[in-house]
Structures are given as structure tokens and as C-alpha cells.
Amino acid sequence: MRGYFIDDLLLITPLHHTDGVRLFGEVIGAHKVPLALAVTDYARTAAEITVDLTRVRYLSNSVVETLVALARSLSPPQRLRVLAGPELRLTERLKRHGWDQIDTLRLSGA
């Protein structure tokens, strides 16, 4: 089914009110492929793809890099909208590499 993935650490489900996915649990490097597949599937038709990380307790650096790569693969006006709480420190992590300046990536707080 489109947008679904589950293992011992992570659950990915589609969002019902907008194009995108919600993640629950801990997202490690092994989850880069399922996440990329889910986002890429929406990229074919959606102008904005939401990745909701508000229920994520841990987000590996390699997954942050994957989100950045996915955003860079989009063509404006498409964009990747990432929802995350302050505990993941995504703003700081993106700024450290200059990734907060990517036009196709938007970070929103929970």
C-alpha cells in the first residue's frame, strides 16, 4: 500500500489530509530507502510533499541527508515540507551545513 512501512523501530503511514507521510518511532540509516520510496512516489504528482516527524524520537544524520537529497531532487515550485519538533534540532542541523537555504525544503515546527 502506498506510503506504508513498518519494522521494529519505525512506522510510516500516509497523511490523509495532504500529500505525504507521517513517521513514528526511531528513524535510522536503514530507513533511508523506505522513506525515499514514499516521498518519491508523491513527487510524481504533488506540488508539496509533507514529511511529518512530530512523532519521531530519534532521527539519524544519514536520514537528514536523505531528506536534503530528496528536496534537491524536486523542481520548483515543488517542495518538501518537513514538520518536526524542537527535540530533533533540525533547524540547527540544517543550518550547520547550509541546507536551510535550499529553496525546495521547508522546515515547520510542530
Side-chain angles (χ1 to χ4, degrees):
M1 295 175 75
R2 181 180 181 176
Y4 285 95
F5 173 84
I6 189 168
D7 73 4
D8 292 340
L9 297 175
L10 178 66
L11 170 65
I12 299 176
T13 63
L15 293 171
H16 297 289
H17 61 284
T18 189
D19 292 319
V21 292
R22 174 173 287 145
L23 286 70
F24 298 84
E26 299 178 10
V27 193
I28 62 172
H31 298 124
K32 295 185 304 185
V33 171
L35 176 59
L37 289 173
V39 170
T40 302
D41 195 27
Y42 286 104
R44 295 180 193 142
T45 57
E48 181 173 84
I49 304 140
T50 300
V51 176
D52 184 342
L53 302 174
T54 58
R55 303 285 192 249
V56 169
R57 295 183 305 271
Y58 173 79
L59 186 69
S60 74
N61 286 331
S62 62
V63 174
V64 174
E65 292 169 1
T66 298
L67 290 170
V68 167
L70 289 166
R72 285 182 170 158
S73 73
L74 300 174
S75 299
Q78 279 188 307
R79 69 178 171 189
L80 185 67
R81 180 174 172 241
V82 179
L83 301 174
E87 64 280 356
L88 294 179
R89 298 179 5 259
L90 266 183
T91 300
E92 173 188 318
R93 292 163 80 178
L94 292 171
K95 281 184 180 181
R96 187 178 314 136
H97 299 283
W99 294 334
D100 59 321
Q101 302 300 314
I102 297 171
D103 291 335
T104 53
L105 178 63
R106 294 289 179 264
L107 180 60
S108 301

